[in-house]
Amino acid sequence: MKRVFLAAALGAAMAFGGGAAVAADSGDAALKAAIAGSARTPANVARDGARHPYETLTFFGIKPGMTVVELAPGGGWYTEILAPYLREQGKLIAAGSDPQGSEGARRSAARFQQKLDANPAAFDKVEIGAFAPPTTYRIAPKGTADMVLTFRNIHNWIPVGDEGLKVLFGQVYDSLKPGGVFGVVEHRLPANKMQDAKASTGYIHEAYVIKLAENAGFKLAGKSEINANPKDKADHEGGVWALPPTYGNKDVDRAKYEAIGESDRMTLKFVKP
């Protein structure tokens, strides 16, 4: 059977290029180029081994012609990849701190804009939205986004409460086209540990995130262990921020936290029916 399969494969390869062997599928070359590109800062590249950007984004099903919303991009770790990747054929909407919000939000938005302005060749086509739960959701016009992504942010939204979360997830749902994807990476709390009402450790239950999304109308399309870390038991003094790259406890037990590495993370793909 193996010989038959091999013969068929070789025959198909020989059918192209006058008998020359066809190169194996190299995956998403444009995404690989963006990850290897000059738009990325060395400190961010150093986190690739823990964050697996290629595997994560391909699991979500990203394509270069999509309209993608990045919720709460922070310092732009994923923006450095998404913006060059989507620049020519697609669109990236960075929905973070509100440029029209509080003084702190305006400062944060200005820092992010400065980052974009410093490299127009990569970031000049990034559109700016605003995402400030529970009041501001300038994400994307209703039914226009192919994908909404958020990385290690949901724990920050828990304090808005059940009704606030219902509105938030509903806004994400409404921004997507039918068939659109909501991709989530988040610090994972073991199911046998208690989650407090404000997720103050930075960890939350995977089942809770799934429930929030499903209550908004999403269907769970897949889970991945791409960003799992079995060394992380989610029991650190100071919560998830004790781990790299934050090292919130500074030199206290630093070697221990360095050996653990970044947090154990769920990677969830939801689809709008």
Side-chain angles (χ1 to χ4, degrees), residues 86-160:
L86 297 166
R87 184 174 182 271
E88 296 302 323
Q89 301 178 49
K91 180 192 295 185
L92 175 63
I93 302 170
S97 297
D98 187 357
Q100 303 167 22
S102 66
E103 182 179 351
R106 293 197 303 272
R107 286 198 300 267
S108 178
R111 285 194 298 270
F112 187 76
Q113 188 62 54
Q114 287 170 1
K115 178 183 182 70
L116 301 184
D117 293 344
N119 190 350
F123 304 135
D124 62 334
K125 295 185 180 180
V126 176
E127 295 190 10
I128 299 298
F131 179 77
T135 59
T136 305
Y137 298 101
R138 295 199 302 276
I139 299 173
K142 187 174 182 178
T144 61
D146 296 290
M147 183 174 286
V148 176
L149 301 174
T150 188
F151 303 96
R152 307 176 313 280
N153 286 311
I154 293 181
H155 62 277
N156 293 318
W157 310 339
I158 302 302
V160 304

Side-chain angles (χ1 to χ4, degrees), residues 101-249:
S102 66
E103 182 179 351
R106 293 197 303 272
R107 286 198 300 267
S108 178
R111 285 194 298 270
F112 187 76
Q113 188 62 54
Q114 287 170 1
K115 178 183 182 70
L116 301 184
D117 293 344
N119 190 350
F123 304 135
D124 62 334
K125 295 185 180 180
V126 176
E127 295 190 10
I128 299 298
F131 179 77
T135 59
T136 305
Y137 298 101
R138 295 199 302 276
I139 299 173
K142 187 174 182 178
T144 61
D146 296 290
M147 183 174 286
V148 176
L149 301 174
T150 188
F151 303 96
R152 307 176 313 280
N153 286 311
I154 293 181
H155 62 277
N156 293 318
W157 310 339
I158 302 302
V160 304
D162 291 342
E163 286 303 310
L165 288 167
K166 182 178 179 180
V167 171
L168 189 162
F169 276 76
Q171 291 284 336
V172 173
Y173 185 91
D174 288 346
S175 74
L176 285 162
K177 301 173 182 177
V181 170
F182 181 32
V184 173
V185 177
E186 178 58 294
H187 311 296
R188 179 165 49 192
L189 184 69
N192 63 353
K193 290 185 179 295
M194 182 72 69
Q195 178 181 311
D196 69 86
K198 294 187 177 181
S200 60
T201 64
Y203 292 95
I204 55 180
H205 289 143
E206 184 175 290
Y208 180 60
V209 176
I210 293 171
K211 180 180 178 182
L212 289 171
E214 290 183 338
N215 285 348
F218 286 106
K219 302 298 182 184
L220 179 64
K223 302 180 184 181
S224 174
E225 293 301 297
I226 295 165
N227 296 299
N229 179 3
K231 294 180 182 178
D232 179 21
K233 306 305 180 185
D235 56 358
H236 322 299
E237 182 69 29
V240 70
W241 301 280
L243 296 175
T246 306
Y247 291 112
N249 297 328

